[in-house]
Amino acid sequence: MATTDVPKHIISEIPTYITVYSDGTVDRPRQPPTVPPNPNHPNSPSKDIIISQNPNISARIYLPKNPTTKLPILVFFHGGGFFFESAFSKVHHEHFNIFIPLANSIVVSVEYRLAPEHPLPACYNDCWNSLQWVASNSAKNPVNPEPWLINHGDFNRVFIGGASAGGNIVHNIAMRAGSEALPNDVKLLGAILQHPLFYSSYPVGLENVKLKDFYSYLWNFVYPSAPGGIDNPMVNPVGIGAPSLDGLGCDRMIVCVAGKDKLRERGVWYYELIKKSGWKGKLELFEEEDEDHVYHIFHPESESGQKLIKHLASFLHEYSLSNSSNFRPFLLPPLCSSSQDVEGDSALRRIRLLLKG
């Protein structure tokens, strides 16, 4: 008996950004282009590395040109709603080419697995494994050694950071670091949350109540089995069953928000929750009132982008500012416009609509 091919149909989607079909294929029509690393960049050499082959975790690592001292290590988790973007995208690569010489730090930008092919909590596990791998390079004979970390990294100054969904990941990794040890007794010194993605079944502050439907849908899309739904502790830090926030496993934290960002109220809410939790670390809130979601990622060369990057540089080097030889940022010349820049900006504006929710 002849069989009839059944046309594939849409199972779920976030229109124009991601579509999941009945045959298991996934289409991301607006996924930004990726670019190769540049080991010969004049200010921020970069290369791609494999952290794990099972599961498949990789990263792009950046190093300031000709480092003369041990440098802070920032393990960074990109944004994109847990289902979009890449550590290898043009957006993030160009951001870090500007960030690295100003921050004078090593950055390990993690390429974690994306939902829905790999539903949460896969990305949390990937990012934790990445932090463990970074810490493992402090051993005398690491199993999967990375020379840039071994030769130039200061394992007394290990930080995690992330933007949007990546900021959410930072929180969850910092909580895990409070209850699980890293290899070789490496400690997490600080955490940077840039416009973090948190939500709950109830509004906070001056938040638009209409946002709940979108973020509830998004959370179910990336973590359909989440106990408690949108009040799961991984997206609602004080949801039912959430561990106390005083268990954060770092000594310092900065929460960054933007006045025009739809997630601004959640960032301030999170800051206030930490402040009242009894956590003994040093906590800071940074706000740029006239900017929108992850402006510094899209436009790191802008005045406000440079302001935030320099502030984060001070945060990364606060431990050693008494020794000025440890912190040598330099200013980059203004970037010139080009047809390529205009084309890139157009793509970034489209991506921005997603990240703004």
Side-chain angles (χ1 to χ4, degrees), residues 49-60 75 108-111 126 129-134 144:
I49 53 178
I50 295 175
I51 293 174
S52 168
Q53 293 183 332
N54 186 24
N56 184 20
I57 312 170
S58 55
R60 180 160 295 175
V75 184
V108 179
S109 183
V110 177
E111 181 75 347
D126 290 354
N129 290 340
S130 299
L131 180 60
Q132 286 185 308
W133 170 78
V134 168
N144 181 14

Side-chain angles (χ1 to χ4, degrees), residues 20-33:
V20 182
Y21 294 97
S22 55
D23 64 354
T25 58
V26 178
D27 185 25
R28 293 179 174 87
R30 294 193 180 185
Q31 178 77 346

Side-chain angles (χ1 to χ4, degrees), residues 56 71 228 246 258 269-270:
N56 184 20
L71 302 173
D246 66 4
W269 172 65
Y270 178 78

Side-chain angles (χ1 to χ4, degrees), residues 233-290:
M234 288 182 166
V235 70
N236 177 355
V238 287
I240 297 175
S244 174
L245 296 174
D246 66 4
L248 283 164
C250 56
D251 294 333
R252 294 194 282 120
M253 175 180 285
I254 181 170
V255 181
C256 306
V257 298
K260 296 181 180 179
D261 183 6
K262 293 178 181 178
L263 286 173
R264 185 257 179 200
E265 298 297 314
R266 289 290 166 172
V268 175
W269 172 65
Y270 178 78
Y271 167 81
E272 293 293 342
L273 290 174
I274 302 298
K275 189 176 180 180
K276 298 173 183 177
S277 71
W279 179 63
K280 302 302 182 182
K282 182 178 179 180
L283 178 65
E284 180 183 355
L285 179 69
F286 178 97
E287 177 166 11
E288 192 67 44
E289 293 183 356
D290 294 327

Side-chain angles (χ1 to χ4, degrees), residues 49 51 61 73-75 108 110 127-146 149-150 153-160 173 177 180-189:
I49 53 178
I51 293 174
I61 184 170
I73 302 168
L74 172 62
V75 184
V108 179
V110 177
C127 293
W128 175 253
N129 290 340
S130 299
L131 180 60
Q132 286 185 308
W133 170 78
V134 168
S136 74
N137 276 272
S138 65
K140 290 184 178 180
N141 297 296
V143 175
N144 181 14
E146 171 44 54
L149 290 175
I150 295 169
D154 182 350
F155 290 95
N156 290 315
R157 290 185 289 166
V158 175
F159 296 80
I160 54 175
I173 298 304
E180 297 183 35
L182 290 169
N184 311 312
D185 201 33
V186 170
K187 305 298 183 185
L188 187 60
L189 180 57

Side-chain angles (χ1 to χ4, degrees), residues 45-107:
S46 57
K47 62 180 178 179
D48 293 345
I49 53 178
I50 295 175
I51 293 174
S52 168
Q53 293 183 332
N54 186 24
N56 184 20
I57 312 170
S58 55
R60 180 160 295 175
I61 184 170
Y62 299 83
L63 181 72
K65 188 72 171 180
N66 300 323
T68 58
T69 186
K70 294 287 187 176
L71 302 173
I73 302 168
L74 172 62
V75 184
F76 183 84
F77 314 125
H78 69 77
F82 305 102
F83 69 90
F84 197 68
E85 257 291 355
S86 168
F88 307 138
S89 74
K90 184 175 183 287
V91 177
H92 286 96
H93 186 74
E94 292 183 349
H95 166 75
F96 282 119
N97 280 342
I98 292 177
F99 179 92
I100 296 300
L102 291 173
N104 197 30
S105 302
I106 298 171
V107 169

